[in-house]
């Protein structure tokens, strides 16, 4: 069964996820200890990785943001045919895409990869895509996506969720509605409670 | 105080159901320990040394009699008949069972209480001055805004999983009692030149491993924009705060790394998009919340009360209590009362179920059924008539709640420490108890005068040791417990961080070390000079010299 949720129901996934070719992780030594550097915004993608990324010639392809930006010219045809979606990781800067792409709605799908459940940057990215950059098409979360994030993801502008493979997406559905009437305005419900109802 | 409507009630009820299901999934193995961790933490549940610890939210420290009775009942039924009041004005249970937490939350929900966001990497309980609304020096009562901020921060979807915990404090007095400068965001409400409520905003303060006082990010923010401005700050932090090292993840590290000017620039850029969006607070909403904090139906009383004055004149013990535990009030003929949770030789901040019932009854009888928790870990009756103080004292004293030590050396702020907390490097409660016993002579204690002594069992600084006039930090050296002593910290408008006096001490040395610090003060002080003033005037050197000289002398006798 599919583990994809789209607009409150289980859906099939027609997109092919394109990943960057794997390279060895950069490990540095600091004060005698092995430290893995994953600082916010640090670029870990090499030019070789980008040119070596294999893009399937047909069908709907979900491309790494960095690959799309670097190889944009060669992809124009497919973008026009609505065959290109974009994915980015939570530490990547959305602005690098905005700088080269005036209209995000040329992409039928944008997805954000969250490596760890506890990484809440995904919520701000969803909010920015929807409220600042005017993105209206499908916004999906994938990676370490479990049911207890869904309510917050939904409120941050996401409408599609690929639940982690070892979990039941059907059961996860109910968590989209953990709370009925939120206090604050966000992406889905823009008005705070005091502008929606009369509270005495 | 704020009363729930059906919207507030539905939210906490739904939270109970959600958490009950999360607990079920953990117990059936569907959620791993690691996956359950952020979920339970956001509901205030820690896995401690002996048992779980549940932190129950007391928003900005306000409780009703009914709520305190309920807390007493819960402590009795689900724990060992006592609770611990914390430096974030919350209450903690040290021995609840993990599988019973959903039932405890359901009980709390019946009295409009919860444990939402009392821990975890999210926006925590909003704290304020325990004398909010009644302090004579108050300019703006900050409680309505604290409640508006509480609601906004509750399940805020964008800020559900921040790099690290995030604490907001608000205050509305000239003399800051909410330590706004040591919070991630501190807000001081004041009246501007046009007599409109405005906010001075600090950002990036905090204790812990890297103590830093906050920097002013905005001198004048109109109150309507409090929420959208906070959204701008927290968004910059959420996106750019470090997530690779939890010790470097607080907003203070980001502010320090960028510098306050660059940080302010980024916040302003973000705010230019957020300003005037729907979360902008309306006059109507502030008025709706503020009516819950309306002035109490006070009697018109004269400034003086003859029977009170007679009791003070005739009863030295009562007079000593009045001097330390009774505080000025806006309203003629009324006083605020601090019920000390610092009896000498007991764990600071602990209250038994029996004591909680007594305090709840006192509040119902003498103080409009409300009370407050202070960040100094005491309980406050905010609105007591002068003529009732003697009766309150008698009942409080009969239940060990009238130690006349508020603001004195034995009114120690102390974290639960190594007796309970799995983060702690060292025990803190036995140190507090030993120091209290060293200074058990009340005349001597009063002669020493106002002095804040704060103890933390590790550098996470829950006991606020950096801002104690005397700060004690538990440290681990090769598996044994040692204590580092610092002096010269202070909370308030002229806040400062304390300086370490030298190498650390063994537990049994600690009462003597504090005694020697006090000896230097007594010897060197000018009339009317408090301990902190003497430290500021003389510096650390003479204190250090005396403490370590004594240590060397002892060593040479061995």
């Amino acid at each position: 069964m599919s583990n994809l949720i789209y607009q409150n129901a289980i859906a099939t996934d027609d997109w092919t996820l394109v990943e960057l070719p794997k390279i060895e992780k950069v490990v540095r030594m600091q004060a005698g200890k092995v430290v893995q550097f994953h600082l916010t915004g640090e670029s870990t993608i090499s030019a070789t990785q980008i040119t070596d990324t294999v893009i399937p010639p047909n069908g709907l392809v979900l491309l790494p943001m960095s690959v799309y930006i670097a190889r944009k010219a060669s992809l124009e045809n497919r973008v026009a045919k609505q065959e290109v979606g974009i994915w980015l990781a939570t530490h990547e800067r959305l602005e690098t895409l905005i700088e080269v792409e005036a209209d995000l709605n040329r992409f039928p799908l944008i997805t954000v990869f969250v490596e760890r459940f506890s990484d809440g940057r995904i919520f701000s990215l969803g909010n920015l895509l929807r409220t600042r950059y005017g993105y209206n098409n499908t916004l999906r979360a994938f990676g370490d996506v479990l049911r207890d994030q869904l309510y917050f993801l939904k409120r941050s502008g996401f409408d599609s969720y690929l639940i982690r493979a070892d979990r039941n997406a059907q059961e996860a559905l109910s968590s989209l509605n953990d709370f009925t009437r939120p206090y604050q305005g966000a992406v889905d419900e823009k008005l705070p409670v005091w502008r929606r109802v009369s509270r005495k | 105080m704020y009363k729930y409507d059906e919207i507030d009630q539905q939210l906490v009820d739904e939270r109970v159901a959600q958490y009950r299901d999360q607990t079920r999934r953990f117990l059936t193995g569907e959620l791993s320990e690691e996956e359950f961790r952020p979920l339970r933490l956001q509901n205030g549940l820690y896995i401690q040394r002996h048992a779980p610890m549940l932190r129950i939210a007391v928003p900005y420290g306000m409780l009703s009699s009914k709520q305190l009775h309920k807390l007493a009942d819960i402590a009795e039924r689900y724990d060992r008949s006592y609770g611990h009041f914390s430096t974030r004005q919350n209450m903690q249970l040290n021995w609840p069972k993990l599988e019973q937490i959903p039932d405890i939350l359901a009980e709390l929900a019946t009295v409009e209480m919860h444990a939402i966001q009392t821990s975890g990497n999210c926006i925590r309980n909003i704290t304020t001055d325990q004398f909010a609304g009644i302090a004579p020096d108050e300019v703006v009562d900050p409680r309505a805004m604290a409640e508006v901020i509480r609601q906004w921060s509750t399940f805020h979807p964008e800020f559900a999983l921040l790099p690290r915990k995030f604490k907001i404090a608000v205050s509305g007095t000239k003399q800051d009692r909410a330590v706004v400068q040591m919070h991630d965001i501190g807000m001081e409400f004041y009246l501007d030149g046009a007599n409109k409520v405005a906010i001075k905003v600090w950002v990036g303060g905090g204790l812990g491993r890297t103590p830093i006082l906050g920097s002013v990010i905005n001198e004048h923010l109109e109150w309507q924009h409090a929420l959208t401005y906070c959204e701008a700050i927290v968004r910059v932090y959420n996106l750019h705060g470090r997530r690779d090292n939890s010790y470097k993840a607080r907003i203070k590290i980001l502010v320090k790394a960028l510098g306050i000017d660059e940080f302010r620039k980024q916040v302003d850029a973000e705010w230019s998009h957020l300003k005037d969006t729907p979360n902008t607070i309306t006059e109507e909403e502030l008025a709706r919340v503020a009516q819950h904090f309306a002035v109490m139906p006070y009697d018109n009383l004269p400034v003086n009360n003859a029977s009170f004055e007679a009791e003070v004149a005739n009863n030295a013990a009562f007079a000593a209590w009045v001097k330390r535990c009774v505080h000025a009030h806006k309203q003629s003929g009324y006083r605020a009362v601090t019920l000390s949770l610092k009896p000498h030789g007991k764990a600071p901040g602990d209250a038994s179920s029996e004591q909680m019932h007594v305090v709840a009854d006192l509040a119902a009888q003498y103080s409009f059924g409300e009370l407050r928790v202070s960040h100094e870990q005491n309980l406050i009756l905010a609105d007591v008539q002068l003529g009732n103080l003697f009766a309150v004292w008698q009942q409080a004293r009969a239940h060990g709640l009238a130690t006349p030590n508020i603001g004195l050396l034995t009114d120690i702020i102390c974290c639960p420490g190594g007796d309970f907390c799995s983060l702690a490097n060292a025990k803190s409660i036995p140190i507090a108890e030993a120091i209290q016993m060293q200074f058990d002579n009340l005349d001597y204690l009063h002669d020493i005068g106002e002095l804040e002594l704060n103890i933390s069992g590790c550098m996470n600084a829950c006991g606020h040791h950096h801002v104690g006039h005397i700060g004690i930090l538990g440290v681990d050296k090769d598996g044994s417990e040692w204590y580092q002593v610092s002096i010269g910290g202070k909370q308030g408008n002229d806040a400062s961080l304390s300086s370490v006096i030298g190498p650390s001490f063994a537990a049994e040395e600690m009462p003597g070390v504090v005694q020697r610090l006090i000896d230097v003060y007594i010897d060197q002080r000018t009339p009317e000079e408090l301990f902190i003033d003497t430290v500021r005037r003389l510096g650390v050197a003479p204190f250090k010299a005396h403490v370590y000289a004594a240590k060397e002398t002892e060593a040479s006798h061995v």
Side-chain angles (χ1 to χ4, degrees), chain A residues 28-144:
Chain A
R28 298 180 207 161
M29 300 288 282
Q30 182 176 289
K33 288 179 188 165
V34 174
V35 179
Q36 297 220 6
F37 283 82
H38 270 292
L39 295 180
T40 303
E42 180 176 323
S43 174
T44 51
I45 301 166
S46 70
T48 333
Q49 273 181 297
I50 288 174
T51 49
D52 287 355
T53 298
V54 181
I55 303 176
N58 298 304
L60 303 174
V61 289
L62 193 48
L63 303 182
M65 183 173 78
S66 54
V67 171
Y68 173 77
I69 291 171
R71 295 163 60 175
K72 186 171 183 291
S74 68
L75 292 159
E76 275 306 315
N77 271 340
R78 300 192 67 183
V79 170
K81 285 194 282 178
Q82 299 268 298
E83 286 183 359
V84 175
I86 299 292
W87 74 266
L88 68 150
T90 50
H91 67 268
E92 293 187 272
R93 286 183 64 243
L94 203 49
E95 290 72 20
T96 59
L97 179 63
I98 308 304
E99 281 157 19
V100 299
E101 196 63 58
D103 181 13
L104 293 184
N105 289 313
R106 301 205 307 145
F107 309 114
L109 177 66
I110 293 180
T111 79
V112 184
F113 173 70
V114 59
E115 192 180 330
R116 284 175 306 133
F117 178 95
S118 59
D119 184 351
R121 287 178 290 196
I122 190 170
F123 305 128
S124 286
L125 291 174
N127 193 311
L128 288 172
L129 280 165
R130 291 298 197 203
T131 60
R132 186 155 318 159
Y133 302 122
Y135 180 65
N136 298 320
N137 297 328
T138 306
L139 182 57
R140 179 184 298 172
F142 78 112
D144 198 17

Side-chain angles (χ1 to χ4, degrees), chain B residues 55 77 89 156 159 214 442 444 500:
Chain B
R55 184 179 294 150
R77 186 159 352 135
Q89 304 179 296
H156 194 299
F159 308 133
L442 281 174
Y444 182 47
V500 176

Side-chain angles (χ1 to χ4, degrees), chain B residues 76-145:
Chain B
E76 219 164 278
R77 186 159 352 135
Y78 297 98
D79 205 293
R80 299 188 178 175
S81 296
Y82 75 95
H84 173 76
F85 289 93
S86 80
T87 52
R88 289 207 63 71
Q89 304 179 296
N90 290 319
M91 198 196 84
Q92 301 179 171
L93 295 173
N94 281 318
W95 308 90
K97 292 192 175 63
L98 187 141
E99 56 274 24
Q100 289 185 332
I101 305 297
D103 295 333
I104 296 176
L105 296 178
E107 295 252 8
L108 289 171
T110 65
V111 292
E112 306 180 0
M113 293 187 80
H114 58 78
I116 296 165
Q117 292 169 210
T118 52
S119 178
N121 297 332
C122 51
I123 300 175
R124 304 283 192 86
N125 187 25
I126 317 297
T127 51
T128 191
D129 175 11
Q130 66 265 30
F131 299 119
I134 56 146
D137 67 336
E138 186 169 86
V139 182
V140 178
D141 182 347
R143 292 173 299 169
M145 283 296 287

Side-chain angles (χ1 to χ4, degrees), chain A residues 39-40 117 120-121 124 127 132 147-148 164 167 178-181 183-185 192 194-195 199, chain B residues 5 8 10 14 18 22 25 35 151-152 154 158 161 235 238 244 270 273 278-280 285 288:
Chain A
L39 295 180
T40 303
F117 178 95
R121 287 178 290 196
S124 286
N127 193 311
R132 186 155 318 159
R147 63 184 279 182
D148 295 295
R164 209 174 72 192
R167 293 302 151 87
D178 273 347
F179 301 99
T180 314
R181 292 185 287 188
Y183 280 131
Q184 63 296 101
W194 73 81
R195 291 182 194 268
R199 301 182 80 183
Chain B
D5 66 5
D8 304 298
Q10 183 180 26
E14 287 174 338
Q18 181 196 43
Q22 290 168 345
R25 282 185 274 140
E35 288 163 354
Q151 296 194 11
W152 162 82
T154 299
E158 188 176 342
L161 295 165
R235 178 176 291 171
N238 189 39
D244 60 324
E270 207 58 47
H273 297 280
N279 284 335
T280 305
E285 172 62 2
R288 177 189 77 86

